[in-house]
Amino acid sequence: MASMRDIKRRKSSIQSTQQITKAMKLVSTVKLQKARGRAEQTDPYFNYMYKTVSSMLARSGGIDHPYLKPGTSGKKGIVVITSNRGLAGGYNSNIVRLITDSEFKKDELEIYAVGGKGLEALERRGYHVVVDASDIIENPTYPDASALCKRVLEDFTEGKIGEIYLAYTHFKNTVSQEAKLMKMLPVEIEPEEEKGAAVLMNYEPNEEEALEEIIPKYVTSLFYGALVEAVASENGARMQAMDSATSNAEEMIEDLSLKYNRARQGSITQELTEIIAGANAIG
């Protein structure tokens, strides 16, 4: 059995850790309120952009455009959005697992990393990281998403990658987040949209120029929406993780308090027994 001193030292250590987890939970809660507001405002635009472009292309009469067909390269580019910090439960590992457990082969992937944790984990597993854009996850802006989109689209049009995917965490609510892998290019037309495409879309001045403007904006908007949702998801996951850690620390403190009281009671009982035994020996 551990001594009273050991128990007291361990209890003090856990109490110090609990104070840290409480503080981190409070910080994450404040950040989450702001991030959730941005995510809820962005989400409708994010979804409508995706649906609108899919519907528009379904009514385009089979346009032959580079953005609408796989590139010549067998490589696949994946924009992987994680965080720069840990202590967020399974937030980062769920995204990494989305890549490592996918049907894609390691040597056919080009990783565009947004977030240091995903970058480190994938590099350790032997994945090739083309871009490190970890700094933009701290406070993502639309220009940040636009710059990343420009680099990825350049690699696509130059034939360095043949497909573009996005791995991010969808923010459902404060306690629920879902890791997702979305195909962005070539743009896929939903079957139900294709069935209802009776009226063809007209483009001015022509479809090629129109798509040169529309598709980059479409990809940028999806990038930005994913970044905003990822920030909200990260803070939600960290808040949950710190709340769980605080509760676990409380249980451990209660258990150690009980053990300390038992050890103290045992020590007092032993001292009284020794006193009584000494008195009897003298008598």
Side-chain angles (χ1 to χ4, degrees), residues 10-248:
R10 190 177 177 202
K11 180 180 175 182
S12 176
S13 175
I14 293 172
Q15 285 173 330
S16 298
T17 302
Q18 187 186 44
Q19 290 177 349
I20 295 171
T21 58
K22 277 183 179 179
M24 291 184 69
K25 178 190 171 184
L26 289 173
V27 171
S28 295
T29 302
V30 172
K31 287 184 176 180
L32 174 62
Q33 298 308 315
K34 182 180 179 181
R36 181 173 64 181
R38 289 181 68 186
E40 289 173 348
Q41 289 175 351
T42 305
D43 191 55
Y45 177 75
F46 181 96
N47 290 325
Y48 279 118
M49 173 63 83
Y50 184 81
K51 291 178 181 177
T52 300
V53 172
S54 295
S55 175
M56 180 188 71
L57 293 175
R59 292 169 169 78
S60 296
I63 295 174
D64 183 23
H65 191 278
Y67 289 147
L68 306 182
K69 59 185 179 182
T72 55
S73 172
K75 297 279 188 179
K76 296 172 176 59
I78 304 184
V79 178
V80 180
I81 303 177
T82 57
S83 71
N84 286 332
R85 290 176 292 276
L87 300 177
Y91 172 76
N92 293 307
S93 59
N94 288 340
I95 290 292
V96 172
R97 197 177 302 117
L98 203 63
I99 308 301
T100 57
D101 292 351
S102 70
E103 60 185 15
F104 301 139
K105 296 178 181 177
K106 188 183 299 184
D107 58 1
E108 70 180 7
L109 296 183
E110 299 287 334
I111 304 297
Y112 299 79
V114 180
K117 289 297 179 181
L119 183 151
E120 292 167 8
L122 291 171
E123 276 192 330
R124 280 199 307 270
R125 290 167 173 79
Y127 288 84
H128 183 226
V129 177
V130 183
V131 171
D132 176 8
S134 299
D135 56 321
I136 71 176
I137 197 61
E138 295 300 326
N139 185 29
T141 63
Y142 191 84
D144 289 333
S146 180
L148 180 60
C149 170
K150 183 179 179 182
R151 169 60 195 274
V152 177
L153 286 181
E154 281 177 357
D155 288 352
F156 182 82
T157 54
E158 290 173 7
K160 295 178 181 177
I161 52 176
E163 297 177 1
I164 301 173
Y165 292 82
L166 176 63
Y168 74 105
T169 305
H170 170 56
F171 180 78
K172 289 185 175 181
N173 52 55
T174 304
V175 296
S176 179
Q177 303 88 32
E178 179 187 5
K180 282 190 169 185
L181 183 64
M182 174 191 292
K183 186 175 184 180
M184 305 186 72
L185 286 183
V187 178
E188 291 187 329
I189 300 170
E190 299 291 336
E192 56 270 21
E193 294 285 356
E194 203 164 24
K195 290 178 184 176
V199 181
L200 293 180
M201 181 73 65
N202 291 321
Y203 293 92
E204 291 292 342
N206 60 64
E207 60 267 16
E208 186 168 334
E209 288 186 27
L211 290 177
E212 286 293 337
E213 291 292 326
I214 292 170
I215 299 300
K217 286 182 171 58
Y218 157 78
V219 175
T220 300
S221 69
L222 294 186
F223 277 175
Y224 179 64
L227 288 168
V228 171
E229 289 207 37
V231 172
S233 298
E234 177 194 347
N235 285 294
R238 183 170 290 110
M239 186 189 74
Q240 284 182 274
M242 293 302 100
D243 181 59
S244 178
T246 302
S247 298
N248 290 340

